[in-house]
């Protein structure tokens, strides 16, 4: 497993001993951006309210907001407003500017505040950023990252709570990343910033306060490398983003109550997708459950089920199961929103169905 350091203060990477400490998912992302901006002067960040009042005399006491949930807080104090750019509320404008900046020599990080806003700037993402390298025969590079928030449970209503990573995973030319832990968030974001293709980086709102051990210095996690978050023998559970933690809770309960052993696989990146890790896990367990907070039609859940049934159907001892959000808009009602989100109980029901115990 490569999901990050365990309970020690230090861990070994090759021959190096790397000190670790406990920080939040939010802090891990901030640290990744800070380290890359120090290392590479071509890295710039842009978005709505990512700098705030810092450095502006008449509103300086307001401080630096750091975006709607504070991920970029204080970066403007170190790097200044030439590299930390507050933008107008015009996603088409600043996402388009990021594409142009990437093609002409910078490595921009653009914050699309909520993924649900992608419709405003879809031409810039899909028809420009994702296609330019291909259309110029590889002579143009588009090294940009679009960071965006996803996920229900924050009581932010339908226009601010979707996942929608399946939409972007469908598009050739884009890479899609969905980290589930602080360790993964930092290592994957550094890799995304250094990548020469456009990367959409999805951050679940309910993970920002989650804490975990993270090395102090820079490190990278290759895009396209899944992680087995929990080894098991009975059922493979492929879970995406926050759903990794839902699956791990279900795994704990099943192990304690019924002795059922789940293997929890976190793809970490959806394009490229580490197909071999998923296939090899199913070959071992002979059962599959996919847990995906995105809507079910044309989703990553259906894609992963299709992958396994076309490449490893002879290893399956029961029908694959999917645990997803319903095919509806995220409701604002707290009771309905909680019902909307896949839960450990629903994962346990799906595991029992996969094992033929229902």
């Amino acid at each position: 497993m490569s999901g990050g350091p365990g309970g020690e203060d230090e861990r070994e990477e090759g021959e190096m001993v790397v000190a670790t400490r406990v920080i939040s998912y939010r802090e891990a992302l901030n640290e990744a951006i800070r380290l890359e901006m120090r290392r590479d002067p071509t890295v710039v960040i842009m978005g709505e309210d990512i700098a705030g009042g810092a450095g502006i005399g008449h509103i300086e006491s307001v401080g630096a907001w750091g975006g709607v949930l504070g991920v970029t807080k204080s970066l403007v104090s170190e790097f200044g407003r030439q590299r930390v750019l507050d933008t107008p509320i015009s996603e088409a404008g600043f996402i388009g500017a990021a594409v142009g900046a990437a093609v002409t020599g910078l490595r921009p990080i653009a914050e699309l505040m909520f993924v649900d806003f992608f419709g405003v700037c879809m031409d810039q993402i899909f028809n420009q950023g994702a296609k330019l390298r291909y259309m110029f025969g590889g002579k143009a590079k588009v090294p940009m990252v679009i960071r965006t928030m996803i996920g229900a449970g924050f009581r932010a209503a339908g226009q601010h709570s979707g996942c929608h990573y399946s939409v972007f995973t469908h598009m050739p030319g884009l890479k899609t990343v969905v980290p589930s832990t602080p360790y993964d968030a930092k290592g994957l974001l550094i890799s995304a910033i250094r990548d020469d293709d456009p990367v959409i980086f999805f951050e679940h709102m309910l993970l920002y306060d989650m804490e975990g051990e993270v090395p102090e210095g820079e490190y990278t996690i290759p895009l396209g490398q899944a992680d087995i978050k929990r080894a098991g023998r009975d059922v493979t559970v492929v879970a995406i983003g926050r759903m990794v933690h839902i699956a791990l809770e279900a795994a704990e309960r099943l192990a304690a109550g019924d002795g059922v052993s789940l293997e929890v696989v976190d793809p970490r990146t959806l394009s490229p997708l580490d197909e071999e890790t998923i296939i090899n896990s199913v070959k071992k367990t002979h059962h599959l459950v996919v847990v995906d907070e995105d809507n079910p039609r044309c989703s990553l859940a259906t894609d992963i089920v299709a992958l396994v049934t076309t490449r490893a159907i002879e290893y399956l001892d029961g029908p694959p199961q999917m645990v997803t959000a319903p095919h509806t808009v995220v409701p604002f009602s707290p009771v309905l929103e909680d019902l909307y989100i896949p839960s450990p109980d629903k994962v346990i029901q799906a595991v029992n169905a996969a094992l033929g115990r229902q």
Side-chain angles (χ1 to χ4, degrees):
M1 294 196 296
S2 58
E8 303 297 327
D9 291 332
E10 296 182 334
R11 75 185 193 96
E12 294 185 2
E13 288 189 348
E15 296 181 356
M16 295 189 303
V17 177
V18 181
T20 68
R21 71 278 192 248
V22 174
I23 61 174
S24 70
Y25 187 101
R26 176 188 291 104
E27 291 168 323
L29 293 167
N30 183 286
E31 194 167 88
I33 297 170
R34 190 182 303 274
L35 288 171
E36 286 304 286
M37 291 186 76
R38 288 174 180 170
R39 188 187 70 88
D40 184 350
T42 69
V43 177
V44 299
I45 60 175
M46 61 181 72
E48 297 157 359
D49 293 336
I50 65 169
I56 299 178
H58 68 289
I59 57 171
E60 190 164 9
S61 62
V62 175
W65 295 311
V68 67
L69 289 180
V71 173
T72 56
K73 189 174 180 64
S74 81
L75 293 178
V76 68
S77 301
E78 178 173 350
F79 300 105
R81 289 182 175 271
Q82 295 301 308
R83 296 180 67 192
V84 182
L85 307 169
D86 270 345
T87 66
I89 303 176
S90 175
E91 288 79 10
F94 69 79
I95 296 296
V99 173
V103 173
T104 53
L106 296 181
R107 288 186 176 271
I109 306 167
E111 182 178 298
L112 178 62
M113 191 178 287
F114 296 95
V115 72
D116 303 83
F117 300 167
F118 72 81
V120 183
C121 50
M122 184 57 88
D123 181 69
Q124 288 76 8
I125 298 171
F126 173 59
N127 222 24
Q128 305 303 328
K131 296 180 179 179
L132 282 175
R133 192 169 189 178
Y134 176 84
M135 294 177 70
F136 283 92
K139 295 180 180 179
K141 297 178 180 179
V142 192
M144 64 179 289
V145 177
I146 298 175
R147 294 181 40 251
T148 190
M149 291 191 293
I150 63 171
F154 200 73
R155 311 311 190 209
Q159 293 179 334
H160 307 81
S161 303
C163 281
H164 309 313
Y165 36 70
S166 60
V167 175
F168 297 92
T169 301
H170 175 76
M171 298 176 184
L174 299 178
K175 296 177 179 178
T176 51
V177 180
V178 192
S180 67
T181 67
Y183 176 85
D184 288 350
K186 180 178 175 181
L188 289 168
L189 184 53
I190 290 175
S191 292
I193 294 169
R194 297 181 185 182
D195 200 282
D196 285 336
D197 290 313
V199 179
I200 317 293
F201 198 92
F202 300 91
E203 303 161 14
H204 200 292
M205 287 180 278
L206 295 190
L207 293 180
Y208 280 135
D209 292 327
M210 176 190 174
E211 293 186 336
E213 288 198 13
V214 178
E216 290 182 354
E218 65 180 58
Y219 62 93
T220 60
I221 296 172
L223 305 187
Q225 184 179 98
D227 187 37
I228 298 176
K229 290 291 194 279
R230 180 187 177 108
R233 65 179 182 275
D234 295 324
V235 180
T236 295
V237 179
V238 180
I240 300 168
R242 180 175 173 251
M243 295 298 101
V244 170
H245 305 285
I246 300 297
L248 289 172
E249 181 179 337
E252 289 286 344
R253 288 169 53 182
L254 281 166
D258 298 332
V260 174
S261 174
L262 302 188
E263 179 148 294
V264 179
V265 179
D266 179 0
R268 299 198 289 199
T269 69
L270 306 178
S271 182
L273 179 68
D274 184 353
E275 299 180 0
E276 295 308 314
T277 294
I278 296 171
I279 294 294
N280 289 337
S281 178
V282 171
K283 287 181 178 179
K284 178 174 69 170
T285 67
H286 305 287
H287 297 93
L288 174 66
V289 173
V290 185
V291 190
D292 177 7
E293 192 182 328
D294 207 348
N295 303 115
R297 301 301 302 273
C298 304
S299 66
L300 262 298
T302 57
D303 186 63
I304 292 168
V305 167
L307 166 71
V308 171
T309 54
T310 54
R311 289 191 50 193
I313 193 169
E314 66 272 27
Y315 293 93
L316 287 170
D317 289 343
Q321 303 293 317
M322 298 186 297
V323 183
T324 71
H327 197 58
T328 67
V329 175
V330 179
F332 179 67
S333 160
V335 174
L336 291 178
E337 185 176 19
D338 291 341
L339 185 64
Y340 175 95
I341 302 168
S343 66
D345 284 341
K346 293 176 182 177
V347 175
I348 290 171
Q349 291 171 9
V351 167
N352 286 331
L355 292 172
R357 307 196 322 171
Q358 287 184 341

